[in-house]
Amino acid sequence: MSSVWDKYEVQSTQIGNTDPIIWIDVYNKNDIPEVEEYVKDNLSKDDLKHYEVNVFSNKGKTY
């Protein structure tokens, strides 16, 4: 997950403790598809089976 921070403008990330979800909050909503693709390409197959990836833009820059 640290590589997501290096590559994109990410506001926060969280990996669910009770829910198998990875949340990624990006500043720019236009980055969502690219970040989703990047994460899915860089997670292991086991992680992809276990976790749902949820990339969204909640706060930050105005559009």
Side-chain angles (χ1 to χ4, degrees), residues 26-41:
V26 296
Y27 283 105
N28 187 338
K29 68 179 179 182
N30 296 321
D31 289 341
I32 291 172
E34 189 174 342
V35 172
E36 285 177 339
E37 186 70 24
Y38 177 81
V39 170
K40 289 177 181 178
D41 287 346

Side-chain angles (χ1 to χ4, degrees), residues 5-45:
W5 285 88
D6 296 336
K7 191 164 176 73
Y8 299 98
E9 291 185 46
V10 174
Q11 183 166 300
S12 67
T13 59
Q14 183 178 0
I15 298 174
N17 290 326
T18 57
D19 294 326
I21 302 173
I22 297 172
W23 292 279
I24 303 171
D25 186 0
V26 296
Y27 283 105
N28 187 338
K29 68 179 179 182
N30 296 321
D31 289 341
I32 291 172
E34 189 174 342
V35 172
E36 285 177 339
E37 186 70 24
Y38 177 81
V39 170
K40 289 177 181 178
D41 287 346
N42 288 283
L43 284 176
S44 71
K45 289 179 182 179

